[in-house]
Amino acid sequence: QIDFGLMGRLRDPETQRTRNLWVLVVTLAYSRYQFVWPSFEQTTAAVCAGLDAAWRFFGATARVLLPDNMSAIVLRADELAPTLTPAFLDYVQARGLFVDAARVRSPKDKARVENQVAYVRESWFDGETFSDLETTRTSAATWCRDVAGARVHGTTREVPREVFEEREKPSMKPPPEAPFDVPHWTEAKVHPDHHVQVLRSLYSVPTRYVGSTVRVRADRATVRIYAGTELVKIHERVAPGKRATDPKDYPVGKDIAATRDVASLVVSAKKCGAHVGIYAERLLSVPLPWTRMRLVYGLLRLCKKFGNGRVEALCQSALAFDVVDVRRIERMLESATVPPRPAGAERRVVPLPTPRFARSTDHFATRPVAIAAKEEGRS
């Protein structure tokens, strides 16, 4: 049975502030042997670290946990089917534990640890002076072994440590060999650039998930991205401010811009012509070549619009005069004269159709035609 309890105040040397000191009390139900883990926080990471420290202290791992409905463990309390937090669910699966959370406002469900918080405070913490958290943890372990574990328990009338060593420890599992890597679970939206932001880093996701919300599990080594229960991507963890991008997550042809692959962009330009490729290399021959990738994309668009041959010829002429300007190439292509017609070719004149609402000039006269004729006759 496990529970958190408030001991008092302790100065934190790292932050130079006086903070609340909490302890995670782990009490074995049969022998009443217990372990105390001081901490400044009541997070899932603190619970997992305290439980691993308890298994190392006991030299054995319990099979069943009876926790309180603390938010670090239980996401949604229910007397029949409580929902555990994702990170703690990973912990109990890794350690092979069964969690039977206590009911809400039912202290009798964990009575063997409920009344131990006051005993720990009065017997161990009160009246002591500790310099830092590590000293506090060392003192708590010594007290658990030599004081609380060596006393005659008021209910069983037996020594908890002796009962544990003789009868309870053989029924428990061996302790874990390595500390548990507590994961960070979160939800993230896939942005139009195919990336999600997790712990101040960016990780790419395939195109079909753009705009959707995915679940992300990040530990020390890897980042796993889930769409519902389906694992869609695995990345190696990168430092904050960095990005992990897989070119395969982008549509064909879009990966060059996404990964700033300057070499592949030059190869595409060389396919349009040798001098087009040289022109692209001249455009990118700057300290930060990816800042000029748009110019090369503009050059490739000109090849698609006006043809590779015309752009190749103009690039050759421009390189001869050391003119490296995509806008100049574009203006030259647009202002080029139309080639003359072959000799002997007749010019065809196609008559335009009569406008649908055409009117004669008499329709727009200011005086009627009959009146105008009479006036001309009199004169």
Side-chain angles (χ1 to χ4, degrees), residues 11 129 132 166:
R11 185 170 182 79
T129 302
D132 53 23
E166 296 174 1

Side-chain angles (χ1 to χ4, degrees), residues 138-160:
T138 302
S139 174
T142 303
W143 175 85
C144 292
R145 181 179 57 253
D146 299 336
V147 178
R151 79 188 192 282
V152 177
H153 196 272
T155 302
T156 63
R157 308 309 299 171
E158 295 179 305
V159 179

Side-chain angles (χ1 to χ4, degrees), residues 220-242:
R220 292 193 185 97
T222 61
V223 173
R224 300 172 183 267
I225 303 173
Y226 296 86
T229 58
E230 177 188 3
L231 177 63
V232 299
K233 201 67 184 178
I234 300 178
H235 287 283
E236 292 186 0
R237 180 82 177 269
V238 296
K242 302 296 182 179

Side-chain angles (χ1 to χ4, degrees), residues 3 110-120 153 155:
D3 194 9
K110 51 181 179 57
R112 295 173 185 177
V113 71
E114 185 73 24
N115 59 358
Q116 293 301 304
V117 175
Y119 169 67
V120 172
H153 196 272
T155 302

Side-chain angles (χ1 to χ4, degrees), residues 255-273:
D255 55 335
I256 296 177
T259 59
R260 297 177 176 179
D261 191 355
V262 178
S264 297
L265 192 59
V266 173
V267 171
S268 300
K270 289 182 178 180
K271 293 179 180 179
C272 299

Side-chain angles (χ1 to χ4, degrees), residues 18 21 46 49 86 178 217 256 296 308 316 319 341 366:
T18 301
L21 181 67
R217 181 189 186 275
I256 296 177
V296 182
N308 295 340
Q316 183 178 3
L319 290 172
R341 295 190 303 274
T366 57

Side-chain angles (χ1 to χ4, degrees), residues 61-122:
T61 303
R63 298 180 181 273
V64 180
L65 287 181
L66 279 77
D68 190 10
N69 285 284
M70 57 187 75
S71 59
I73 293 179
V74 179
L75 186 63
R76 183 178 61 85
D78 187 273
E79 61 180 6
L80 300 179
T83 303
L84 303 182
T85 59
F88 191 72
L89 184 60
D90 286 348
Y91 176 80
V92 298
Q93 290 176 345
R95 297 292 184 250
L97 302 173
F98 176 78
V99 178
D100 184 15
R103 294 170 295 178
V104 179
R105 292 183 295 274
S106 299
K108 293 183 179 180
D109 289 354
K110 51 181 179 57
R112 295 173 185 177
V113 71
E114 185 73 24
N115 59 358
Q116 293 301 304
V117 175
Y119 169 67
V120 172
R121 184 188 304 111
E122 296 170 1

Side-chain angles (χ1 to χ4, degrees), residues 144-339:
C144 292
R145 181 179 57 253
D146 299 336
V147 178
R151 79 188 192 282
V152 177
H153 196 272
T155 302
T156 63
R157 308 309 299 171
E158 295 179 305
V159 179
R161 190 173 65 185
E162 295 178 357
V163 176
F164 167 74
E165 294 290 345
E166 296 174 1
R167 287 174 275 175
E168 191 172 26
K169 186 176 181 179
S171 301
M172 300 174 66
K173 299 186 298 183
E177 298 179 357
F180 179 70
D181 184 6
V182 182
H184 173 78
W185 281 90
T186 186
E187 291 186 351
K189 185 176 182 179
V190 184
H191 295 281
D193 63 351
H194 292 65
H195 285 75
V196 295
Q197 182 178 2
V198 181
L199 297 176
R200 296 179 294 171
S201 302
L202 299 177
Y203 301 91
S204 65
V205 181
T207 304
R208 62 182 180 274
Y209 300 105
V210 172
S212 62
T213 301
V214 295
R215 299 175 67 240
V216 185
R217 181 189 186 275
D219 53 31
R220 292 193 185 97
T222 61
V223 173
R224 300 172 183 267
I225 303 173
Y226 296 86
T229 58
E230 177 188 3
L231 177 63
V232 299
K233 201 67 184 178
I234 300 178
H235 287 283
E236 292 186 0
R237 180 82 177 269
V238 296
K242 302 296 182 179
R243 67 169 59 199
T245 303
D246 186 357
K248 298 179 182 179
D249 291 337
Y250 289 88
V252 178
K254 302 295 184 180
D255 55 335
I256 296 177
T259 59
R260 297 177 176 179
D261 191 355
V262 178
S264 297
L265 192 59
V266 173
V267 171
S268 300
K270 289 182 178 180
K271 293 179 180 179
C272 299
H275 292 89
V276 177
I278 298 174
Y279 207 86
E281 290 177 345
R282 290 287 303 275
L283 289 171
L284 298 173
S285 59
V286 293
L288 301 176
W290 54 85
T291 60
R292 307 191 70 181
M293 291 179 66
R294 291 183 179 179
L295 297 176
V296 182
Y297 277 115
L299 184 64
L300 295 178
R301 284 194 296 270
L302 294 178
C303 293
K304 184 180 295 185
K305 181 179 180 180
F306 296 99
N308 295 340
R310 297 177 64 183
V311 178
E312 170 72 9
L314 286 178
C315 286
Q316 183 178 3
S317 302
L319 290 172
F321 292 95
D322 197 24
V323 177
V324 184
D325 188 350
V326 177
R327 289 297 185 186
R328 178 69 63 85
I329 298 293
E330 183 179 6
R331 288 195 298 270
M332 293 170 67
L333 289 169
E334 291 177 349
S335 62
T337 58
V338 180

